[in-house]
């Protein structure tokens, strides 16, 4: 266990529900507790180690592909992840 606490904001949860992706988002939340730096870093990390990152949920079982933005904050302990945005993935590869 990594000791990371991952949570989904109300807005992101509502969006996932509207897209029929609640279970997919919960699975990602659990994955982020084990590996909080999935996906692509968006911009430089702050001096305190806080990172804004983006990852994808692949389309499956009637759920569209999704882009998920989250914030990883290592300090103060325990490290945390907050999933802040869920949007349909436009299919453009990340740079």
């Amino acid at each position: 266990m990594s000791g990371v606490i991952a949570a989904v904001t109300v807005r992101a949860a509502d969006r996932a529900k509207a897209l029929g992706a609640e279970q997919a988002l919960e699975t990602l939340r659990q994955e982020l507790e084990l590996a909080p730096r999935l996906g692509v870093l968006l911009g430089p990390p702050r001096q305190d180690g806080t990172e804004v990152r983006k990852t994808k949920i692949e389309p499956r079982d009637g759920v569209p592909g999704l882009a998920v933005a989250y914030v990883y904050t290592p300090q103060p302990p325990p490290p945390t992840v907050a999933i802040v945005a869920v949007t349909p993935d436009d299919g453009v590869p990340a740079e």
Side-chain angles (χ1 to χ4, degrees):
M1 181 176 219
S2 70
V4 175
I5 297 171
V8 179
T9 64
V10 171
R11 180 172 279 227
D14 288 347
R15 184 69 167 148
K17 183 176 182 178
L19 294 167
E22 294 166 290
Q23 185 56 49
L25 189 62
E26 173 57 19
T27 299
L28 176 61
R29 187 199 64 74
Q30 292 172 7
E31 288 177 23
L32 289 170
E33 286 186 337
L34 300 174
R37 290 183 167 133
L38 293 176
V40 190
L41 181 63
L42 301 176
R46 291 179 23 168
Q47 285 185 343
D48 64 1
T50 299
E51 300 173 353
V52 177
R53 302 183 75 87
K54 181 178 101 170
T55 191
K56 292 183 179 183
I57 295 175
E58 297 298 326
R60 62 177 175 255
D61 300 325
V63 175
L66 301 172
V68 179
Y70 67 94
V71 178
Y72 169 66
T73 308
Q75 298 295 327
T80 59
V81 169
I83 297 172
V84 296
V86 177
T87 58
D89 185 22
D90 60 11
V92 176
E95 295 180 16

